[in-house]
mmCIF file of all heavy atoms in Angstrom:
data_model
loop_
_atom_site.group_PDB
_atom_site.id
_atom_site.type_symbol
_atom_site.label_atom_id
_atom_site.label_comp_id
_atom_site.label_asym_id
_atom_site.label_seq_id
_atom_site.Cartn_x
_atom_site.Cartn_y
_atom_site.Cartn_z
ATOM 1 N N ILE I 153 9.313 -1.478 27.332
ATOM 2 C CA ILE I 153 9.810 -2.575 28.164
ATOM 3 C C ILE I 153 10.976 -3.262 27.469
ATOM 4 O O ILE I 153 11.058 -3.290 26.240
ATOM 5 C CB ILE I 153 8.728 -3.644 28.456
ATOM 6 C CG1 ILE I 153 8.141 -4.196 27.136
ATOM 7 C CG2 ILE I 153 7.614 -3.097 29.327
ATOM 8 C CD1 ILE I 153 7.467 -5.541 27.293
ATOM 9 N N GLN I 154 11.878 -3.814 28.271
ATOM 10 C CA GLN I 154 12.969 -4.615 27.720
ATOM 11 C C GLN I 154 12.385 -5.960 27.307
ATOM 12 O O GLN I 154 11.476 -6.465 27.950
ATOM 13 C CB GLN I 154 14.046 -4.828 28.770
ATOM 14 C CG GLN I 154 14.790 -3.551 29.073
ATOM 15 C CD GLN I 154 15.862 -3.746 30.130
ATOM 16 O OE1 GLN I 154 16.102 -2.845 30.914
ATOM 17 N NE2 GLN I 154 16.479 -4.912 30.152
ATOM 18 N N LYS I 155 12.920 -6.508 26.240
ATOM 19 C CA LYS I 155 12.376 -7.749 25.708
ATOM 20 C C LYS I 155 13.471 -8.811 25.698
ATOM 21 O O LYS I 155 14.325 -8.817 24.824
ATOM 22 C CB LYS I 155 11.818 -7.501 24.307
ATOM 23 C CG LYS I 155 10.723 -6.435 24.309
ATOM 24 C CD LYS I 155 10.327 -5.973 22.927
ATOM 25 C CE LYS I 155 9.322 -4.840 23.014
ATOM 26 N NZ LYS I 155 9.936 -3.546 23.412
ATOM 27 N N GLU I 156 13.412 -9.696 26.686
ATOM 28 C CA GLU I 156 14.417 -10.745 26.814
ATOM 29 C C GLU I 156 13.737 -12.073 27.118
ATOM 30 O O GLU I 156 12.765 -12.104 27.872
ATOM 31 C CB GLU I 156 15.388 -10.430 27.953
ATOM 32 C CG GLU I 156 16.180 -9.157 27.763
ATOM 33 C CD GLU I 156 17.164 -8.966 28.909
ATOM 34 O OE1 GLU I 156 16.770 -8.383 29.938
ATOM 35 O OE2 GLU I 156 18.306 -9.424 28.774
ATOM 36 N N VAL I 157 14.246 -13.130 26.548
ATOM 37 C CA VAL I 157 13.708 -14.470 26.785
ATOM 38 C C VAL I 157 14.869 -15.456 26.731
ATOM 39 O O VAL I 157 15.835 -15.242 25.989
ATOM 40 C CB VAL I 157 12.690 -14.884 25.699
ATOM 41 C CG1 VAL I 157 12.147 -16.281 25.981
ATOM 42 C CG2 VAL I 157 11.537 -13.908 25.603
ATOM 43 N N ALA I 158 14.787 -16.532 27.521
ATOM 44 C CA ALA I 158 15.764 -17.617 27.386
ATOM 45 C C ALA I 158 15.115 -18.933 27.795
ATOM 46 O O ALA I 158 14.216 -18.952 28.649
ATOM 47 C CB ALA I 158 17.001 -17.345 28.240
ATOM 48 N N VAL I 159 15.550 -19.997 27.146
ATOM 49 C CA VAL I 159 15.035 -21.335 27.485
ATOM 50 C C VAL I 159 16.210 -22.299 27.651
ATOM 51 O O VAL I 159 17.296 -22.092 27.088
ATOM 52 C CB VAL I 159 14.092 -21.900 26.392
ATOM 53 C CG1 VAL I 159 12.850 -21.042 26.248
ATOM 54 C CG2 VAL I 159 14.802 -22.065 25.056
ATOM 55 N N GLU I 160 15.942 -23.353 28.405
ATOM 56 C CA GLU I 160 16.927 -24.414 28.578
ATOM 57 C C GLU I 160 16.273 -25.719 28.139
ATOM 58 O O GLU I 160 15.103 -25.952 28.423
ATOM 59 C CB GLU I 160 17.327 -24.495 30.060
ATOM 60 C CG GLU I 160 18.524 -25.366 30.317
ATOM 61 C CD GLU I 160 18.991 -25.211 31.764
ATOM 62 O OE1 GLU I 160 19.680 -24.234 32.065
ATOM 63 O OE2 GLU I 160 18.618 -26.068 32.580
ATOM 64 N N PHE I 161 17.022 -26.556 27.443
ATOM 65 C CA PHE I 161 16.475 -27.824 26.948
ATOM 66 C C PHE I 161 17.643 -28.788 26.785
ATOM 67 O O PHE I 161 18.811 -28.395 26.933
ATOM 68 C CB PHE I 161 15.714 -27.617 25.638
ATOM 69 C CG PHE I 161 16.544 -27.029 24.519
ATOM 70 C CD1 PHE I 161 16.968 -27.813 23.442
ATOM 71 C CD2 PHE I 161 16.929 -25.691 24.551
ATOM 72 C CE1 PHE I 161 17.748 -27.266 22.431
ATOM 73 C CE2 PHE I 161 17.712 -25.144 23.536
ATOM 74 C CZ PHE I 161 18.111 -25.933 22.472
ATOM 75 N N THR I 162 17.348 -30.052 26.491
ATOM 76 C CA THR I 162 18.453 -31.008 26.362
ATOM 77 C C THR I 162 18.508 -31.597 24.957
ATOM 78 O O THR I 162 17.488 -31.793 24.301
ATOM 79 C CB THR I 162 18.309 -32.171 27.368
ATOM 80 O OG1 THR I 162 17.014 -32.739 27.208
ATOM 81 C CG2 THR I 162 18.464 -31.686 28.796
ATOM 82 N N LEU I 163 19.731 -31.846 24.535
ATOM 83 C CA LEU I 163 19.986 -32.552 23.271
ATOM 84 C C LEU I 163 20.913 -33.701 23.664
ATOM 85 O O LEU I 163 22.047 -33.453 24.066
ATOM 86 C CB LEU I 163 20.662 -31.644 22.258
ATOM 87 C CG LEU I 163 19.841 -30.477 21.692
ATOM 88 C CD1 LEU I 163 20.673 -29.689 20.690
ATOM 89 C CD2 LEU I 163 18.561 -30.975 21.013
ATOM 90 N N GLY I 164 20.421 -34.938 23.601
ATOM 91 C CA GLY I 164 21.214 -36.067 24.091
ATOM 92 C C GLY I 164 21.458 -35.863 25.575
ATOM 93 O O GLY I 164 20.519 -35.596 26.337
ATOM 94 N N ASN I 165 22.726 -35.887 25.977
ATOM 95 C CA ASN I 165 23.048 -35.661 27.387
ATOM 96 C C ASN I 165 23.406 -34.210 27.691
ATOM 97 O O ASN I 165 23.686 -33.861 28.830
ATOM 98 C CB ASN I 165 24.233 -36.543 27.811
ATOM 99 C CG ASN I 165 23.848 -38.003 27.777
ATOM 100 O OD1 ASN I 165 22.710 -38.355 28.107
ATOM 101 N ND2 ASN I 165 24.787 -38.852 27.360
ATOM 102 N N ALA I 166 23.406 -33.386 26.644
ATOM 103 C CA ALA I 166 23.860 -32.011 26.833
ATOM 104 C C ALA I 166 22.710 -31.087 27.195
ATOM 105 O O ALA I 166 21.640 -31.133 26.584
ATOM 106 C CB ALA I 166 24.526 -31.511 25.554
ATOM 107 N N THR I 167 22.952 -30.236 28.199
ATOM 108 C CA THR I 167 21.995 -29.182 28.538
ATOM 109 C C THR I 167 22.322 -27.979 27.655
ATOM 110 O O THR I 167 23.464 -27.524 27.623
ATOM 111 C CB THR I 167 22.127 -28.786 30.011
ATOM 112 O OG1 THR I 167 21.901 -29.964 30.795
ATOM 113 C CG2 THR I 167 21.102 -27.722 30.383
ATOM 114 N N CYS I 168 21.301 -27.492 26.932
ATOM 115 C CA CYS I 168 21.527 -26.408 25.978
ATOM 116 C C CYS I 168 20.627 -25.228 26.318
ATOM 117 O O CYS I 168 19.636 -25.367 27.020
ATOM 118 C CB CYS I 168 21.201 -26.867 24.558
ATOM 119 S SG CYS I 168 22.077 -28.355 24.055
ATOM 120 N N ARG I 169 21.008 -24.085 25.803
ATOM 121 C CA ARG I 169 20.232 -22.867 26.051
ATOM 122 C C ARG I 169 20.133 -22.029 24.789
ATOM 123 O O ARG I 169 21.061 -22.021 23.972
ATOM 124 C CB ARG I 169 20.904 -22.016 27.137
ATOM 125 C CG ARG I 169 20.889 -22.660 28.508
ATOM 126 C CD ARG I 169 22.130 -22.339 29.301
ATOM 127 N NE ARG I 169 22.482 -23.451 30.180
ATOM 128 C CZ ARG I 169 23.423 -24.369 29.930
ATOM 129 N NH1 ARG I 169 24.151 -24.305 28.834
ATOM 130 N NH2 ARG I 169 23.642 -25.365 30.749
ATOM 131 N N ILE I 170 19.002 -21.343 24.651
ATOM 132 C CA ILE I 170 18.863 -20.296 23.629
ATOM 133 C C ILE I 170 18.326 -19.070 24.351
ATOM 134 O O ILE I 170 17.343 -19.166 25.089
ATOM 135 C CB ILE I 170 17.853 -20.665 22.512
ATOM 136 C CG1 ILE I 170 18.241 -21.967 21.812
ATOM 137 C CG2 ILE I 170 17.752 -19.532 21.481
ATOM 138 C CD1 ILE I 170 17.237 -22.414 20.751
ATOM 139 N N GLY I 171 18.974 -17.940 24.135
ATOM 140 C CA GLY I 171 18.499 -16.702 24.745
ATOM 141 C C GLY I 171 18.406 -15.627 23.690
ATOM 142 O O GLY I 171 19.013 -15.731 22.618
ATOM 143 N N GLY I 172 17.654 -14.589 23.973
ATOM 144 C CA GLY I 172 17.555 -13.525 22.981
ATOM 145 C C GLY I 172 17.055 -12.237 23.575
ATOM 146 O O GLY I 172 16.484 -12.206 24.664
ATOM 147 N N MET I 173 17.322 -11.166 22.832
ATOM 148 C CA MET I 173 16.737 -9.877 23.186
ATOM 149 C C MET I 173 16.254 -9.231 21.893
ATOM 150 O O MET I 173 16.741 -9.538 20.805
ATOM 151 C CB MET I 173 17.757 -8.976 23.897
ATOM 152 C CG MET I 173 18.958 -8.560 23.061
ATOM 153 S SD MET I 173 20.102 -7.539 24.050
ATOM 154 C CE MET I 173 21.200 -6.935 22.746
ATOM 155 N N ALA I 174 15.252 -8.375 22.023
ATOM 156 C CA ALA I 174 14.678 -7.733 20.843
ATOM 157 C C ALA I 174 14.362 -6.289 21.169
ATOM 158 O O ALA I 174 14.190 -5.923 22.328
ATOM 159 C CB ALA I 174 13.413 -8.457 20.416
ATOM 160 N N LYS I 175 14.301 -5.462 20.137
ATOM 161 C CA LYS I 175 13.784 -4.113 20.302
ATOM 162 C C LYS I 175 12.857 -3.862 19.123
ATOM 163 O O LYS I 175 13.026 -4.422 18.030
ATOM 164 C CB LYS I 175 14.889 -3.062 20.360
ATOM 165 C CG LYS I 175 15.685 -2.833 19.120
ATOM 166 C CD LYS I 175 15.088 -1.953 18.055
ATOM 167 C CE LYS I 175 14.415 -0.719 18.569
ATOM 168 N NZ LYS I 175 13.823 0.031 17.392
ATOM 169 N N GLY I 176 11.876 -3.029 19.352
ATOM 170 C CA GLY I 176 10.960 -2.711 18.275
ATOM 171 C C GLY I 176 9.659 -2.287 18.891
ATOM 172 O O GLY I 176 9.147 -2.917 19.794
ATOM 173 N N SER I 177 9.123 -1.191 18.360
ATOM 174 C CA SER I 177 7.873 -0.682 18.909
ATOM 175 C C SER I 177 7.042 -0.085 17.786
ATOM 176 O O SER I 177 5.858 -0.355 17.665
ATOM 177 C CB SER I 177 8.184 0.344 20.010
ATOM 178 O OG SER I 177 7.033 0.637 20.766
ATOM 179 N N GLY I 178 7.670 0.706 16.918
ATOM 180 C CA GLY I 178 6.985 1.241 15.739
ATOM 181 C C GLY I 178 7.734 0.806 14.505
ATOM 182 O O GLY I 178 8.789 0.187 14.597
#
Side-chain angles (χ1 to χ4, degrees):
Chain I
I153 56 160
Q154 290 180 214
K155 301 169 185 75
E156 298 183 273
V157 180
V159 297
E160 191 171 280
F161 59 106
T162 53
L163 292 180
N165 293 324
T167 302
C168 306
R169 293 146 212 100
I170 302 177
M173 64 182 191
K175 67 81 42 182
S177 193

